[in-house]
Amino acid sequence: VRIGALDGKFRLLQQYDAALRVLCFWKKKLPSLTLLVSPTGSGKTKVVEAIVEVTQSVAIIVVPFNVLLEDQIQRRNQEGALGSTAIMWNTHTKERLLQWSSQGTGISNHDHNLRMIYMTPEAIYGFARDLTLFVNNLQRHEKFCCFVVDEAHHVITDAVFRPKYSELSNFFQKWPAIPILAMSATIPPTMVKPLSDALAVDRQSDAIFRASSDRPNCRYQVNSFRVERRGKELEAAASSVIQIIQRLKRERQLCHGAVKIIIYCLSQREALTLPNKIQVFSKNELTAIPVIGGLDPGKNEQHRAQLMAQKHNIQLWKEGKVDIICATSAFIEGQDQPDVRIVIFLEGAYDLISLIQGFGRSSRDGHPADCILLIKNDRQRSSQNALVTQGYAQSSKCRRQFLAHEI
């Protein structure tokens, strides 16, 4: 293994160690599972890029949501990703990838640098037969280096709702000598053994590299709002959101130009309705758009049109032409916009992992950011609010320490 090729590639020592371990076990052709716990925005994907560059071979990367695939692939290819390119495995690319793998060399200049194949767990089982042939072809030419499970906490948290996650080990078992790299910002100590057991059946060698999850550039707050009239919760929330944003823009001296903001909602209805209320109540001082998951372009024309409009709106937000995205949890992970200055969770999140992942979208460029949990006041607060029951809202200690301790 050309260890020198790893120098200067990573922000954290733990990322270097994880990459080196995967490379060593790949070279020795021994079973292994490597867990990397590294803060959001710290450059975990650079680990995969370094591995495929050193080995000059291919990795399959399992990601949780389709909505993340195009964004990650576009970003990898735009950045040049150390000379490597990325592609999504689907019905349109399957035949090309199979042909390429059988030859062992690229069939075009683009494919010659192909290194990262992105898939969801469901896609792995939907294309299991062809994918098995693909990996076997690359193995014969020594062109396959590892399986990567990105946002690996989903293997445990989504096991009931997405059973294909818990079946990944059955697929990986076909090639016991191929290393597995599992990465996430949110693998608490209590999750390590269940995750290891779920992914590494019959693999005796596993190790975890854990970096501090603390992000000192982020300021964490819990704010409350009061609902004056029943049925007017969103109106009250919108007014409170506007006040918070205006206050933070003054405090941070962000008054000139657009400020990128994400507001996470617990339901699609809230995410779809809140943008209009924010624009009306702010007298169009703030612009907002909705982003939701569950849109399947193959389902019908309406879904396809909604998805295209949503992609266009997201691009406007990235370009600074829109201030706020009101999103459901589908927009939490994999978004790597570096200059998001304010993240607000409206009425909480499903769990602390979702909260940490969502707050992790803020200021990945290291500049100051504000991360806010906005809930109803004490008397009106729902007892079912996940973060209230888990203690985050009532905690008397520093919330930065609270979140860092949980992970």
Side-chain angles (χ1 to χ4, degrees), residues 316-327:
L316 291 177
W317 175 76
K318 289 181 176 181
E319 293 171 359
K321 297 174 182 177
V322 173
D323 298 298
I324 304 169
I325 279 182
C326 297

Side-chain angles (χ1 to χ4, degrees), residues 79-326:
E79 291 174 355
L82 302 174
S84 61
T85 58
I87 196 170
M88 183 193 313
W89 181 292
N90 55 33
T91 53
H92 303 295
T93 60
K94 179 187 70 172
E95 294 302 326
R96 167 184 156 197
L97 289 169
L98 285 172
Q99 180 184 359
W100 173 71
S101 69
S102 65
Q103 294 177 352
T105 56
I107 57 176
S108 69
N109 289 335
H110 175 84
D111 289 322
H112 182 69
N113 290 323
L114 184 60
R115 294 289 179 261
M116 291 172 281
I117 314 294
Y118 282 84
M119 307 184 73
T120 63
E122 290 77 13
I124 283 182
Y125 280 90
F127 295 98
R129 182 177 297 180
D130 291 323
L131 196 58
T132 299
L133 177 61
F134 174 78
V135 176
N136 285 338
N137 286 341
L138 291 177
Q139 277 287 83
R140 282 199 301 272
H141 298 290
E142 297 187 347
K143 291 289 185 180
F144 193 87
C145 59
C146 64
F147 295 110
V148 180
V149 183
D150 198 10
E151 309 296 357
H153 56 275
H154 283 279
V155 175
I156 303 302
T157 60
D158 289 11
V160 175
F161 304 105
R162 301 179 66 186
K164 296 307 179 189
Y165 255 117
S166 59
E167 296 175 18
L168 282 175
S169 62
N170 296 332
F171 182 76
F172 296 156
Q173 274 184 290
K174 297 177 182 179
W175 304 277
I178 295 179
I180 299 172
L181 172 63
M183 307 188 299
S184 176
T186 47
I187 302 177
T190 54
M191 190 184 286
V192 171
K193 188 177 187 307
L195 180 60
S196 179
D197 292 343
L199 286 177
V201 177
D202 295 333
R203 291 177 189 244
Q204 300 301 314
S205 179
D206 64 296
I208 181 167
F209 299 93
R210 183 184 295 277
S212 171
S213 60
D214 182 34
R215 300 185 68 216
N217 60 310
C218 296
R219 180 172 63 177
Y220 300 94
Q221 302 176 43
V222 176
N223 290 173
S224 64
F225 65 96
R226 182 173 182 80
V227 181
E228 298 295 342
R229 292 170 55 192
R230 188 173 181 180
K232 297 293 183 180
E233 286 84 358
L234 267 185
E235 286 78 359
S239 296
S240 183
V241 163
I242 292 167
Q243 292 173 17
I244 290 170
I245 292 172
Q246 291 173 338
R247 170 176 59 82
L248 294 177
K249 289 175 75 172
R250 288 194 300 270
E251 289 179 5
R252 298 289 196 186
Q253 297 182 341
L254 302 172
C255 298
H256 303 290
V259 177
K260 292 187 180 68
I261 301 163
I262 301 176
I263 302 174
Y264 288 112
C265 305
L266 287 174
S267 71
Q268 287 193 359
R269 185 188 70 83
E270 291 177 348
L272 291 169
T273 308
L274 189 60
N276 182 60
K277 295 189 182 301
I278 289 174
Q279 292 192 181
V280 171
F281 290 178
S282 70
K283 298 179 180 179
N284 292 319
E285 178 186 333
L286 296 171
T287 53
I289 57 170
V291 174
I292 60 173
L295 297 177
D296 181 1
K299 185 175 181 179
N300 55 47
E301 187 60 38
Q302 182 181 1
H303 271 227
R304 196 155 41 247
Q306 283 182 277
L307 194 59
M308 290 298 294
Q310 189 161 280
K311 288 180 180 178
H312 175 69
N313 287 338
I314 292 173
Q315 188 59 38
L316 291 177
W317 175 76
K318 289 181 176 181
E319 293 171 359
K321 297 174 182 177
V322 173
D323 298 298
I324 304 169
I325 279 182
C326 297

Side-chain angles (χ1 to χ4, degrees), residues 212-224 247 343 345 348 352-353 355-357 359-360 369-376 378 381 385 387-407:
S212 171
S213 60
D214 182 34
R215 300 185 68 216
N217 60 310
C218 296
R219 180 172 63 177
Y220 300 94
Q221 302 176 43
V222 176
N223 290 173
S224 64
R247 170 176 59 82
V343 173
F345 270 86
L352 281 172
I353 286 178
L355 184 79
I356 294 169
Q357 288 285 348
F359 284 163
D370 289 279
C371 303
I372 296 169
L373 172 62
L374 179 59
I375 54 179
K376 295 175 187 175
D378 290 334
R381 190 180 304 158
N385 184 295
L387 294 193
V388 174
T389 59
Q390 288 184 264
Y392 175 79
Q394 307 102 316
S395 176
S396 59
K397 68 179 180 181
C398 169
R399 290 193 171 89
R400 239 180 76 194
Q401 293 178 349
F402 182 96
L403 295 178
H405 175 75
E406 290 297 320
I407 302 300

